[in-house]
Amino acid sequence: MEPKVNPGEASPVGGAGEGRATGGGGPVRGGAGGEPGGPGSDLHLELSDGPGGRRGALMRALRDAVRTGRLAPGTRLPPYRTLAADLGLARNTVAEAYAELVAEGWLTARQGSGTRVADRAAPPDSGRPRRPTTPSRPRRPVHDLVQGTPDASAFPRTAWLASARRALTAAPHEAFGPGDPRGRTELRHAVAAYLARARGVRADPARIVVCSGFANALRLLGQVIDGTIAVESYGLGFHRSLLTAAGRTTFALPIDEHGAQVRELPGSGAAAALLTPAHQFPTGGPLHPARRAALIDWARAEGGVVLEDDYDGEFRYDRQPVGAVQGLDPDRVVYIGSVSKSLSPALRLGWMVLPGHLVDAVLELKGERESWASALEQLTLADFLASGSYDRHVRRMRRLYRRRRDRLVAALAERAPHVQVTGIAAGLHAVLGLPAGTERSVVQAAAWQGLAVEGLGLYRHGEATGVPGDGLVVGYGTPPEHAFAGALNALCEALPPPP
């Protein structure tokens, strides 16, 4: 028989279908709806011999789980029928244990809400003096103008979901097996078609290898290419660190308003050169046509490889499209792209368009199975590209980012006309020139305004020469639309007054 409950009293049991519990190993696992201990969850309890028989053993196990914090306040317990069945106990035994723990204050029970750990049943203080705690990272600033990420609120959720549904419906059965290190053939063909049309890349799908983003590609290439690698004197230190970790030595190519000075390459002994030809990062501007030609001449004459980071190649505002260097010589250039800026870094999808002589080496290094890039997300991206949704999204974001860039330029013209703004013809960031020796103080002043922004010196190679000087790298892609005005105001407040 079920234990009787007096009228008006809450039953210490959950409703139908609330959850399951097992006597097996494992902590509490969240069930349907994402609530710990909610419907469909499992509960690990170890019953030990002792006074009170099986009911006493169950009560001790539940108290211990609450006392140690394994069952947090508010956690919903499985219905007593379910727990009884899984632990091999009588239903009355579990119901009586629940009722007694409710009476003791360990649990609470409300009609329709089930049985839960009481809020006041948190683990007691050990009595030992507590050490002052410090956060592992600073508090998130109020405003964010750090470069490198798109507006996360603008992700095309509806269109992406439609592509995901179509891709899942059409996916062959083998797509749910071990992943191919080359990447899904659907994505490689879609990427080849898009790059040929939009970026002037000569892309054979057989030479495309899917990766989990630019960093993943650089890790692989750093192990495949043997020798010193030339990099631009300003760029992401993270990328240089990846090459160093792969055992590669880097040296800096000076940059100016026309991009990297590639005349430094002949006779340097470099095996490869990592460049951002479409939009030099972070100073801005495309690589001059004459330097593009000289770059290819060097690669052909000395057997070098160009690693082309197509940074911001799709976001241009005041200039004609600049095609990829890879189109000049697919046998000497590795074209690397991703959706981190155009869609979201959360997707972790990118690609390498490789010269034929590097394909097998990269695949051997990746191994027999794809370890990082999800096959289902690859299929979704393939549909997103083939359906035209990607083009529509890029055009929409190009308009949005151009408006933000224009608002940035207008705000500076009104409130800080003495500050020079460069690198604004394309991309998701601008460079603000600062008086010599003021960069660090301006970054600190921005922090006082609750603004996260980075100084230009952060991107400088340790051996860089001919440096551009002090400046700020202002990313206008990150803030959501409603927060952009506040970020601009904080930036203007942090800038130094006219000389």
Side-chain angles (χ1 to χ4, degrees), residues 64-248:
D64 183 66
V66 173
R67 186 182 297 112
T68 60
R70 191 163 64 81
L71 291 182
T75 299
R76 180 189 254 178
L77 299 184
Y80 75 90
R81 297 178 183 87
T82 303
L83 187 60
D86 287 342
L87 296 182
L89 302 176
R91 287 184 293 177
N92 276 3
T93 299
V94 178
E96 291 168 1
Y98 276 13
E100 189 165 342
L101 291 173
V102 168
E104 292 178 1
W106 291 93
L107 306 177
T108 62
R110 291 186 179 89
Q111 191 67 38
S113 182
T115 305
R116 297 175 182 266
V117 176
D119 289 340
R120 58 183 174 275
D125 195 327
S126 65
R128 292 177 294 182
R130 296 181 179 179
R131 296 180 180 178
T133 59
T134 56
S136 58
R137 60 179 63 187
R139 289 182 59 192
R140 187 176 181 86
V142 178
H143 307 292
D144 188 356
L145 290 177
V146 174
Q147 68 75 37
T149 57
D151 181 354
S153 68
F155 184 81
R157 301 185 189 209
T158 301
W160 185 261
L161 179 60
S163 285
R165 286 173 173 163
R166 288 192 297 266
L168 189 61
T169 300
H173 296 317
E174 51 88 14
F176 299 92
D180 185 342
R182 291 179 180 270
R184 291 296 308 174
T185 183
E186 298 90 341
L187 179 57
R188 290 188 287 114
H189 279 80
V191 166
Y194 173 78
L195 293 179
R197 170 172 54 82
R199 303 296 301 127
V201 172
R202 294 154 65 183
D204 180 350
R207 291 188 177 189
I208 294 178
V209 174
V210 174
C211 53
S212 65
F214 185 87
N216 180 219
L218 203 57
R219 286 188 182 98
L220 293 167
L221 293 167
Q223 297 177 69
V224 168
I225 295 171
D226 187 16
T228 300
I229 298 179
V231 299
E232 294 161 321
S233 58
Y234 277 74
L236 283 173
F238 173 55
H239 291 168
R240 297 192 293 266
S241 298
L242 290 175
L243 295 174
T244 301
R248 306 281 74 85

Side-chain angles (χ1 to χ4, degrees), residues 208-350:
I208 294 178
V209 174
V210 174
C211 53
S212 65
F214 185 87
N216 180 219
L218 203 57
R219 286 188 182 98
L220 293 167
L221 293 167
Q223 297 177 69
V224 168
I225 295 171
D226 187 16
T228 300
I229 298 179
V231 299
E232 294 161 321
S233 58
Y234 277 74
L236 283 173
F238 173 55
H239 291 168
R240 297 192 293 266
S241 298
L242 290 175
L243 295 174
T244 301
R248 306 281 74 85
T249 300
T250 65
F251 75 91
L253 295 174
I255 58 172
D256 57 24
E257 67 274 16
H258 299 304
Q261 297 179 20
V262 298
R263 66 172 181 268
E264 304 286 334
L265 285 171
S268 66
L274 172 62
L275 303 178
T276 51
H279 186 233
Q280 201 288 319
F281 178 83
T283 62
L287 187 64
H288 191 275
R291 295 187 182 181
R292 289 177 165 235
L295 179 64
I296 296 301
D297 289 343
W298 160 77
R300 289 172 176 169
E302 301 191 18
V305 177
V306 178
L307 307 180
E308 181 175 12
D309 178 1
D310 195 29
Y311 186 85
D312 287 345
E314 290 152 319
F315 296 116
R316 58 189 183 278
Y317 314 119
D318 303 324
R319 72 181 192 204
Q320 292 299 313
V322 178
V325 170
Q326 191 267 2
L328 299 176
D329 193 337
D331 292 327
R332 304 303 334 161
V333 181
V334 177
Y335 177 93
I336 313 170
S338 78
V339 296
S340 294
K341 305 295 187 299
S342 57
L343 278 171
S344 168
L347 293 178
R348 306 309 307 146
L349 284 176

